Amino acid sequence: MSRRLLPPALAIAGAALLVGLFVALRPADEAEPTPPVPATTAETGTPEVATTEPTPPPPPPVATLRATIRDGRPRGGIQRLTVERRERVRIVVRSDVADHVHVHGYDLMRDVAPGRQATIGFRATIVGRFEIELEDSGVLIAELEVRP
């Protein structure tokens, strides 16, 4: 190698040595961050998707009135249920006699018979007091009060 080329070659070799030392000896906190690996679901192995939407509230509870008819009469007496307007209502009647369960004012009716309960579900939209009876026999089995 000629003497003219020696200084630039030494300068290049020195610079390469410095760059190599810098890369090899630099602190770990300056290392390139690795991208996060998304979590996967156990069932499918697909990435989970984070949601920012809040969980919707549970539906409001349903006010339930249960009545049992024995020998054509309400067991335990006449049942009473008080709810607020717009509340959901469910009426469940078991009976040892065949008849129709009728919710007056709402004009809802379901058949009931031994081994087949009557279930009536609705939203209480009419304010007042309403009788619930075995329609054919005229036996009062419950009262529903809907408050404003």
Side-chain angles (χ1 to χ4, degrees), residues 10-83:
L10 286 176
I12 292 172
L17 178 64
L18 287 174
V19 168
L21 287 173
F22 175 77
V23 170
L25 300 175
R26 73 178 171 175
D29 62 345
E30 291 182 356
E32 292 287 322
T34 56
V37 177
T40 58
T41 60
E43 295 104 22
T44 63
T46 57
E48 291 179 2
V49 178
T51 61
T52 57
E53 295 180 24
T55 304
V62 177
T64 302
L65 181 142
R66 296 182 187 281
T68 301
I69 309 302
R70 292 279 156 90
D71 299 322
R73 299 279 171 219
R75 186 171 146 205
I78 297 170
Q79 303 296 311
R80 288 178 173 74
L81 178 65
T82 301
V83 298

Side-chain angles (χ1 to χ4, degrees), residues 62 64-66 89-94 101 103 108-113 116-122:
V62 177
T64 302
L65 181 142
R66 296 182 187 281
V89 176
R90 180 179 12 221
I91 299 166
V92 180
V93 179
R94 293 177 187 260
V101 177
V103 181
L108 300 170
M109 196 176 311
R110 297 288 183 278
D111 293 337
V112 68
R116 193 172 89 215
Q117 75 179 20
T119 302
I120 303 173
F122 61 100

